């Protein structure tokens, strides 16, 4: 008798992954023969030319930008035409399909193996007696009204404060007054910036915090596994909730739940014209920002590592995934106790092409640290903090505060992502070659 299907299935997935990976190589060698190496080199050269064209389009204006865009479009088309003319397009497509299958099955195998990371511990609690929820009526295009969040929350015993959309209100002060009056839970239906302000009060008072996914993008809710399509499901936490302890980031003592961005993007969103015409404003400002002709020059000190003059820096409350296209923009966990740092420094078309190497690209710094200091050759720098455009005095200091926030979430979360461990071909090969053993004392 086998130890169990949970041990058996990952090995078969690993075997399919190894077989498909070998098949991808065999198809190239068998049907392309000696042409397989030039085939791969031509494809790689086409990608490099496309990347260089994109870089030239970003750092130039006028006729040079138009020509660069045409080059970036023409390069991959030329590669496809070349493959068709040589009768090898189907070989490339079949080989690519086998490789995609190999990577998919490899991830399935690793996710089902015993080495997959465990989820953060959670604690079941009795329903809160005096929950206090702050709701922004305009967030997410009016989700508070569309999903009748106020009525549903009040029916569950919550006190609800609907913000006045015609004037600016201090949500942190509202949360502190509610805590002083005896609230035993603080929650927000609004954007991530508002979530962060109230989360800071909840952490300060050691109160549980509740996220209602009524914002536009809801990145924080995404990483908590909450349903972003129907924010009313988040209210289930009031009656059948569990508690997680997660980390918080601070930037010059201001709390952030997602990230803080520096450099080109942060400078662009500061522009008054950005809100009215995002694309045109970005294209107008990027050439000067990327070539360091405008904007402060940054220096990032991340513990033992220093990044000089990066064009863009992202400091996140726990690292984002960068090893898997399906996981980009998501954090695998929120309780690792470290900040994620992504720094991009590209000064030429050749370096832009080198970014195709991913994490091994010389212009990309990917770090996990406890503290980051961002300095500049100016007294202030533009910063985007959880979607809010701010200007902060330098040096800017970011820290992680492990398990500082108690988050109350529904027991059942339809958005909980499956674990997607980083691709490790050695582990996949080991799984594929390992024989499933019989349990002691069983003959099968």
């Amino acid at each position: 008798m086998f130890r169990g299907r949970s041990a058996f299935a990952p090995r078969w997935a690993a075997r399919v992954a190894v077989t498909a990976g070998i098949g991808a190589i065999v198809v190239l060698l068998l049907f392309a023969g000696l042409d397989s190496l030039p085939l791969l080199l031509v494809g790689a050269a086409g990608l490099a030319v496309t990347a260089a064209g994109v870089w030239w389009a970003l750092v130039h204006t006028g006729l040079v930008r138009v020509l660069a865009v045409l080059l970036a479009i023409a390069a991959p088309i030329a590669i496809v035409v070349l493959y068709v003319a040589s009768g090898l397009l189907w070989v490339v497509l079949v080989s690519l399909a086998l490789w995609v299958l190999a990577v998919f099955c490899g991830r399935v195998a690793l996710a089902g193996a015993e080495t997959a990371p465990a989820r953060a511990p959670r604690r079941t609690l009795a329903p809160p007696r005096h929950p206090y929820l702050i709701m922004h009526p305009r967030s997410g295009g009016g989700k508070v009204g569309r999903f009748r969040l106020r009525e549903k929350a009040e029916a569950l015993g919550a006190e609800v404060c609907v913000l006045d959309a015609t004037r600016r209100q201090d949500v942190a002060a509202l949360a502190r007054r509610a805590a002083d009056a005896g609230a035993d839970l603080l929650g927000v239906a609004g954007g991530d910036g508002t979530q962060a302000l109230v989360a800071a009060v909840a952490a300060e008072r050691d109160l549980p915090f509740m996220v209602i996914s009524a914002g536009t993008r809801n990145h924080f809710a995404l990483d908590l596994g909450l349903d972003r399509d129907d924010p009313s499901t988040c209210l289930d936490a009031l009656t059948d909730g569990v508690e997680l302890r997660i980390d918080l980031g601070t930037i010059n003592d201001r709390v952030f739940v997602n990230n803080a961005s520096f450099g080109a993007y942060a400078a662009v969103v500061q522009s008054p014209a950005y809100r009215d015409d995002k694309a045109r404003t970005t294209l107008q400002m990027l050439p000067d920002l990327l070539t360091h002709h405008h904007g402060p020059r940054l220096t990032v000190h991340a513990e033992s590592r220093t990044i000089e003059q990066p064009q863009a820096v992202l400091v996140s409350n726990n690292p984002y995934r960068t090893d898997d296209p399906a996981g980009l923009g998501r954090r695998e966990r929120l309780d690792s106790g470290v900040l994620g740092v992504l720094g991009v420094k590209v000064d030429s078309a050749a370096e832009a092409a080198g970014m195709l190497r991913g994490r091994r690209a010389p212009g990309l710094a990917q770090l996990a640290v406890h503290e980051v200091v961002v300095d500049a050759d100016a007294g202030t720098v533009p910063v985007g903090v959880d979607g809010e455009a701010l200007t902060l005095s330098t040096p800017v200091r970011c820290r992680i505060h492990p398990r500082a926030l108690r988050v109350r979430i529904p027991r059942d979360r339809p958005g909980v992502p499956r674990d997607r461990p980083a691709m490790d071909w050695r582990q996949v090969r080991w799984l594929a070659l390992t024989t499933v053993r019989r349990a002691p004392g069983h003959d099968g």
Side-chain angles (χ1 to χ4, degrees):
M1 185 176 180
F2 293 119
R3 285 190 297 175
R5 292 182 182 178
S6 61
F8 190 70
R11 287 172 171 78
W12 275 108
R15 289 164 188 165
V16 172
V18 171
T19 302
I22 294 174
I25 298 172
V26 169
V27 166
L28 275 178
L29 294 176
L30 189 61
F31 293 98
L34 295 176
D35 293 332
S36 60
L37 182 58
L39 197 70
L40 294 174
L41 293 176
V42 168
L47 288 175
V49 170
T50 300
V54 171
W55 169 254
W56 285 323
L58 292 176
V59 300
H60 291 91
T61 59
L63 180 61
V64 176
R65 172 173 282 174
V66 173
L67 294 175
V69 170
L70 292 176
L71 177 64
I73 295 173
I77 294 175
I79 298 302
V80 172
V81 170
L82 181 62
Y83 287 167
V84 171
S86 59
L88 296 174
L89 180 61
W90 74 271
V91 176
V92 175
L93 294 178
V94 170
S95 180
L96 181 61
L98 286 171
W99 187 251
V100 171
L101 176 63
V103 173
F104 172 78
C105 291
R107 294 197 183 281
V108 170
L110 292 175
E114 295 176 358
T115 55
R119 296 193 184 279
R122 60 186 191 178
R123 186 163 63 100
T124 303
L125 294 176
R129 294 183 178 182
H130 305 290
Y132 181 84
L133 307 180
I134 297 174
M135 298 188 178
H136 196 303
R138 290 186 180 175
S139 287
K143 288 182 179 178
V144 169
R146 192 160 65 250
F147 288 92
R148 301 182 65 247
L149 297 180
R150 176 178 185 170
E151 294 82 356
K152 292 178 181 179
E154 289 178 339
L156 295 173
E159 180 183 352
V160 178
C161 171
V162 178
L163 298 175
D164 184 349
T166 64
R167 61 188 180 91
R168 190 175 185 87
Q169 292 175 267
D170 189 339
V171 294
L174 290 173
R176 288 192 180 93
R177 282 200 294 268
D180 292 338
D184 59 353
L185 177 143
L186 300 175
V188 175
D192 289 333
T194 307
Q195 298 277 358
L197 293 172
V198 180
V201 178
E204 172 189 305
R205 301 297 183 90
D206 194 30
L207 292 174
F209 177 67
M210 193 172 112
V211 176
I212 304 171
S213 54
T216 302
R217 297 179 181 85
N218 299 293
H219 291 301
F220 190 36
L222 171 69
D223 291 328
L224 287 170
L226 300 175
D227 189 341
R228 297 190 298 167
D229 296 325
D230 184 359
S232 65
T233 60
C234 300
L235 297 174
D236 293 342
L238 294 174
T239 55
D240 186 22
V242 294
E243 186 176 293
L244 299 178
R245 279 274 187 180
I246 67 169
D247 307 335
L248 283 179
T250 56
I251 176 168
N252 283 5
D253 298 325
R254 178 190 172 108
V255 165
F256 63 92
V257 294
N258 291 328
N259 57 63
S261 61
F262 303 80
Y265 172 74
V268 168
V269 298
Q270 294 276 348
S271 170
Y274 178 77
R275 189 173 296 276
D276 295 328
D277 194 340
K278 294 180 173 61
R280 177 177 294 183
T281 303
T282 301
L283 290 174
Q284 287 177 344
M285 295 182 65
L286 275 181
D288 285 340
L289 292 171
L290 294 179
T291 55
H292 300 294
H293 292 154
H294 179 72
R297 300 193 180 198
L298 304 177
T299 301
V300 179
H301 303 282
E303 296 179 356
S304 60
R305 178 80 177 269
T306 299
I307 308 171
E308 296 284 354
Q309 297 186 26
Q311 283 103 337
V313 178
L314 184 74
V315 180
S316 57
N317 173 24
N318 285 254
Y320 284 99
R321 298 213 59 162
T322 59
D323 61 318
D324 176 14
L328 290 178
R330 299 194 68 164
R331 291 166 287 181
E332 190 170 78
R333 54 189 300 181
L334 294 171
D335 63 346
S336 67
V338 292
L339 297 168
V341 181
L342 286 174
V344 177
K345 182 180 181 181
V346 179
D347 293 322
S348 66
E351 291 181 2
M355 295 298 289
L356 295 171
R357 296 173 58 187
R359 290 192 297 174
R360 296 186 299 275
L364 179 66
Q366 182 180 349
L367 310 169
V369 296
H370 297 92
E371 184 173 338
V372 179
V373 178
V374 180
D375 209 343
D377 60 353
T380 61
V381 290
V383 188
V385 182
D386 284 341
E388 302 288 332
L390 305 174
T391 300
L392 300 179
S393 300
T394 55
V396 180
R397 191 177 302 274
C398 302
R399 294 188 178 93
I400 192 74
H401 300 268
R403 299 170 61 84
L405 182 65
R406 300 164 56 190
V407 179
R408 190 181 183 96
I409 53 177
R411 183 185 303 277
D412 295 321
R413 290 170 290 157
V416 174
R418 295 185 62 183
D419 291 321
R420 298 181 63 88
M423 191 62 183
D424 185 342
W425 280 110
R426 285 193 209 171
Q427 179 72 6
V428 171
R429 189 168 61 249
W430 178 84
L431 283 170
L433 297 176
T434 300
T435 303
V436 180
R437 299 180 180 179
R438 300 175 187 272
H442 293 272
D443 296 326

